[in-house]
Amino acid sequence: KRVLELTKLLIYEASSFYTLWEYRWQCFLALEESLHTEWDFCLQVLNLSPKNYQLFNHRRKCFEHLFKAGDVDVTARELKFCSIAIDRDAKNYHAWSHRWYVLNTTKDLNLLKQEIFYCADRIQDDPFNNSAWNQRFSVFQNFKLSEIDFEIDFALSQIERAPSNESGWIYIQGLLRSCDYQQDQVDKVCESCVSIIQRDGRYIHACNTLGKIAEVVDQISLALKMYQYLKVMDPIRENYWQEKIVMLSLQQL
């Protein structure tokens, strides 16, 4: 117990010191102490160091141990811990990663459905929150709890708010792959791409998305047109676009 208390004091001073966390965990196992007491301690460490891998790794161990022991409240408690971290920093990758681990472990469909709307709220707050987009796609891809129509409409509505945001476009591309480029969804996305490009040709992610779709559905001329345009509008990746142009041109031979 003295070592357990010592790790607490030392972690306050060096919260990223992995060995201290491991000693603390081994002490809990040896003493068979209640892990419920770790909640307050971990919250205090969260205040000191919110983006701390060791902290969330420790929370994962606590969650796994309590979940296997049949603690019925552990999932809600762990999601609350993640929400506290995300409320303080909406792009805290460690919190989002742990949140997904908890949801994917429990596979509670009601919680997963709630997560779709939780992510929507975070994206509504900040459409550039890539972590929220990634979380929402993970839920959709693994559990298919929402219709593809609903997801694409949501993504397009957020893209309209911030057409320069790559996260929404990557999400759209992932959705189209997941539905094998269903024709009605392809038409809807392409229409949105064209509308945005006509409004302002500097939105390179719209051009890229349209080019990728055209490439997949075998409209090579349109794909080439988009990549040639991107070669000019996106000079940082000029060599990349040139390579795409060469490869597609060879396919036409």
Side-chain angles (χ1 to χ4, degrees):
K1 285 190 175 183
R2 288 177 59 193
V3 173
L4 184 63
E5 184 62 25
L6 182 60
T7 61
K8 180 177 181 179
L9 297 173
L10 291 173
I11 286 171
Y12 282 145
E13 298 299 323
S15 60
S16 296
F17 193 177
Y18 177 81
T19 305
L20 290 173
W21 286 100
E22 182 60 23
Y23 267 115
R24 185 169 183 81
W25 178 249
Q26 293 301 327
C27 286
F28 270 108
L29 295 181
L31 295 169
E32 298 184 355
E33 291 278 330
S34 171
L35 286 169
H36 294 97
T37 59
E38 282 297 89
W39 169 267
D40 290 335
F41 171 64
C42 288
L43 275 181
Q44 291 169 357
V45 177
L46 182 68
N47 289 331
L48 295 171
S49 181
K51 291 185 176 180
N52 185 326
Y53 170 78
Q54 285 74 20
L55 166 64
F56 284 98
N57 184 59
H58 186 67
R59 287 310 313 167
R60 176 178 292 198
K61 289 180 178 179
C62 292
F63 167 75
E64 288 174 343
H65 192 84
L66 292 170
F67 183 70
K68 288 177 183 176
D71 186 331
V72 295
D73 299 320
V74 64
T75 301
R77 192 164 55 242
E78 214 58 36
L79 291 176
K80 182 180 178 181
F81 185 87
C82 293
S83 294
I84 291 170
I86 291 168
D87 286 345
R88 295 175 183 178
D89 183 344
K91 299 178 182 179
N92 186 332
Y93 169 79
H94 300 300
W96 281 106
S97 179
H98 183 53
R99 189 177 180 90
W100 170 244
Y101 176 79
V102 171
L103 289 167
N104 195 38
T105 299
T106 59
K107 293 179 170 51
D108 184 312
L109 295 185
N110 288 326
L111 289 175
L112 286 160
K113 287 177 182 177
Q114 292 173 28
E115 192 69 4
I116 293 171
F117 296 101
Y118 178 82
C119 293
D121 288 343
R122 302 288 76 75
I123 293 168
Q124 189 63 37
D125 291 340
D126 177 10
F128 290 87
N129 188 340
N130 189 58
S131 295
W133 283 105
N134 185 67
Q135 180 85 341
R136 187 174 173 120
F137 188 78
S138 295
V139 173
F140 172 80
Q141 181 76 353
N142 288 278
F143 296 97
K144 298 295 191 296
L145 297 176
S146 53
E147 297 295 329
I148 189 71
D149 248 354
F150 177 77
E151 290 298 323
I152 285 183
D153 286 346
F154 170 78
L156 288 176
S157 71
Q158 297 302 319
I159 284 171
E160 281 295 325
R161 293 177 62 209
S164 62
N165 174 25
E166 189 174 12
S167 297
W169 292 109
I170 294 295
Y171 190 79
I172 284 279
Q173 292 168 27
L175 291 174
L176 289 176
R177 284 194 299 272
S178 73
C179 71
D180 294 324
Y181 291 86
Q182 194 175 307
Q183 189 60 53
D184 57 336
Q185 303 304 332
V186 166
D187 292 343
K188 185 192 299 184
V189 174
C190 287
E191 183 181 339
S192 181
C193 288
V194 170
S195 174
I196 289 170
I197 293 166
Q198 288 176 341
R199 194 187 318 155
D200 190 333
R202 292 172 297 178
Y203 291 131
I204 60 174
H205 301 307
C207 300
N208 182 24
T209 299
L210 185 58
K212 284 184 175 179
I213 294 172
E215 191 175 344
V216 171
V217 301
D218 210 27
Q219 293 186 20
I220 304 301
S221 295
L222 176 58
L224 281 170
K225 182 179 179 180
M226 287 296 100
Y227 296 151
Q228 286 163 352
Y229 181 73
L230 283 164
K231 183 181 173 182
V232 176
M233 296 301 295
D234 185 21
I236 291 176
R237 292 186 287 181
E238 179 181 354
N239 291 339
Y240 170 75
W241 299 122
Q242 179 60 32
E243 183 67 18
K244 295 283 287 183
I245 292 165
V246 170
M247 296 300 293
L248 282 180
S249 299
L250 289 173
Q251 287 181 31
Q252 288 189 313
L253 296 179

